[in-house]
Amino acid sequence: MSEPIVGKARLYQRLRAYSGPVVAIVVTVVALWLFHRMTAGLRLADIKDALGMMSRSSIAIALLATFVSYCALASYDIVACRIAAPGKVPWHNAALSGMSGYAFSNFLGFHLFTGGAVRFRTYSRSGLDAGEIGQVVLLSWVGLWLAFTAVVGLALLFDPEGVSLLRIMHASADRVIGFAIIATLVALFFYAGPQGRELRLLSWRFPLPPRGMLVLQLVVGVIDLVASSGVLFVLLPVDAQAGPALFLTVYMSAVILGSISHVPGGIGVFEATLIAGLGLQGRADILASLLAYRLIYYFLPFFIAVVMLAAAEAGMIRGKLAARFVGPTRTIKAMVPLVAATVVFISGVILLFSGATPGLPGRLETLEHWLPLSLVETSHFLGSLVGLALLVIAHGLQRRLFSAWAVAVGMLMAGAVFSIAKGLDWEEALTLALAAVFLLLSRRAFYRRVPQRISSLSWEWLGLVTLVLVATIWLGFFSYSHVEYSNELFWEFAWEGGASRFLRAMVGLVVAAAALGVATLIYRPPPKSKQAGKPESDAIAAVIAHSPDTQTNIAFLGDKEFLWSPDGSAFLMYARSGRSLVSMGDPVGDPEQVEDLIWQFRDMADHEAMRAVFYAVRPDNLPVYLDMGYALLKLGEVARVKLEDFSLEGPKNQEHRYAERRAAKEGLIFEVVARKDVPAIVEELRQVSDAWLREKGGSEKGFSLGRFDPAYLAHFDCAVMRDSRHGNRIVAFANIWRSGGMNEISVDLMRYLPGASKVLMDALFVQLLLYGKEQGYRWFNLGAAPLSGLADHALASRWNRMATFVFRHGDDFYHFEGLRAFKQKFSPVWTPQYLACPGGLSIPQVLLDLNALISGGLGRLIGASSLRPKRRRQRMKQVA
């Protein structure tokens, strides 16, 4: 890949990383602008009055409907577990996972990450792998989409004119479309059959559950849809309660658009869609109903989940209940950092929103007799800044940082004091104090002593903070929409000057947020690698000299850090990429130290708030990674030739004999240059390497692949092919890796002059194998064949099925099949290698971190081999 293409690919990756927060911000701003237009002329006092006029019977029915809806949400997971993992997950575990997962995802948004994290915690402890958990999550959405499709189809079929959003064409045509939708659903049920079938569409496959389960999912989905929409329906004024078909369609459209926007909870997007769809602009009672709906259906279930966690942490759940729900309780405890971050983030939102809304006049009059105006003004300004600080600190709590915990407790207590001093807001002061108590009870969950640095803030988190600030500014201008703004208003200090205090606080917040963004950009350090010093290099060489594996020689590359055993007899080499610490293979050295080093590395990564990833590991230590609860992804197979059985005799070796004889006729001479003489030929080697890179249009890689570096090459003997017809110039070379105990020999960096000979690299390999056999080595390591040997079965994991598909059809970007075919010519023994890493939602990020670390494409990401074919369907003749 050429440098411009590599640069464009990296730019594209950066744009994709920033696109999520940018899209969320744009969607939120547009939604708030539309929402502002729809609520023009309304006052906050009108909304408060409308809230007070709501009937208790409507609120009671809404609470009952919420209970029914969350029972249906729990049923999604119960049914999905019976389909994807029958008999593995107890129904109460699945119910708790479903209810708590939806409580978090409904309130926080980002359904895949919040609800998915809850499910992964629960289901992984029940023995489900990442593929099964993914199927459960997917199937849990089936009922919702089936219900929505059925509602739309029935609405088009029976009442297209009553649903303005569905007036696509003439009513008759709409009925035909509705009939087609219902008929498709019925056909889908019949196609599934009593045992279930696999639905195939081009290369896409989806396992359909049995017909009975599919119908059950539809029934559960309809119950959930009716109950959740019923919560809002009963809260709306009577004159705003539209017909069932119209209301259900508008409601589901608002829910789906809110989810797609990735705005937390769909705030603004949901409200704007619903108001526009029902034509209810400019009504305070509608806003009051939406606010009550948010509190009852979103906040209350989330609050109950937080209370359950606090009770578990405080030791309030004991006895038979704790014994019955021991699995879920451990799951809840494991979620303390996420919940704590959420609680602190919400506390910050409360402070910001409180600073953007007017205080209660009666309470301000009371303060006037006890506190000076300057203290009230200062408390209001500092309270808003504390709110912003809590939004930022929540990021550190999510990473289990002790420093973030300590600062958060102090900020929450300070925020409680400021809430009292700025307006006797005892409700929010109590909320902040309870949040601080929750953090104090959760102290043990925050054990990482890594300092919270500005550079550690992700752009996604900064985007979320920006969303809250935008919403705060809109809320402030909406609350004080009746105030006539002027330059003097900013400098007005008075007990009734709520708008002035809001303006001053907003200016401070915008300045602080801008400074935070600039500091994050300036102080974000580039990735650094630790070079091994001379004493450590000698220690590395001593350990490698006794290792039976040649791959350990990659430690001399100089781009890795090292974790040593206490006695110095073993080490683990690793590098940093994104949020991952990536180990290159298993630990090297004394076998008795291997397991301890693996756990030390995991512990070190955990304390640094990083992911421990083990790349290209062999089967020997898989039980240790399984004990960690890690996912194992098969990356491919390593080819090793048993040298005592290798020769040029016999019919099967005719191609090898041909390559050797053809090279001899062309005047190609094989030679092994001793390590001490390599510096003398390094410039000639560089010319070959540069020509090879220009011809390939690529750039140097790293981590698992060698690169042209004189310091690195000086550690090894070098095999060269010379052209006797052109002054014995070097036309190809490969540095030789040797293991301890004469067990294995291999090569790493292989480069050649383009056009020198068609059999150049075949001849070099034949000579290398003969050389290794002559030297007395038992094996020759040909390197890995990426994605080779993976199971291709309908019941295999999703990773295996996807990787097998890429292996067969991915020749356009990496010649997987050709590479394996080339190595198979030498009749090797194949040994699998794996990637061990945290499972679930962490896997895609781990793969991206690996890709960035190795700096190659998809093929380079998975394979550690330096071999590849030149063209599709052509036998391997070249070296990548």
Side-chain angles (χ1 to χ4, degrees), residues 580-584 601 611-615 630 835-838 846 850:
S580 301
L581 293 183
V582 185
S583 166
M584 181 58 232
F601 183 67
R611 288 180 293 262
V613 178
F614 300 86
Y615 175 73
Y630 268 24
L835 170 69
C837 66
V846 167
L850 276 171

Side-chain angles (χ1 to χ4, degrees), residues 270-281:
F270 175 86
E271 285 78 4
T273 304
L274 195 101
I275 291 174
L278 297 178
L280 301 175
Q281 297 90 337

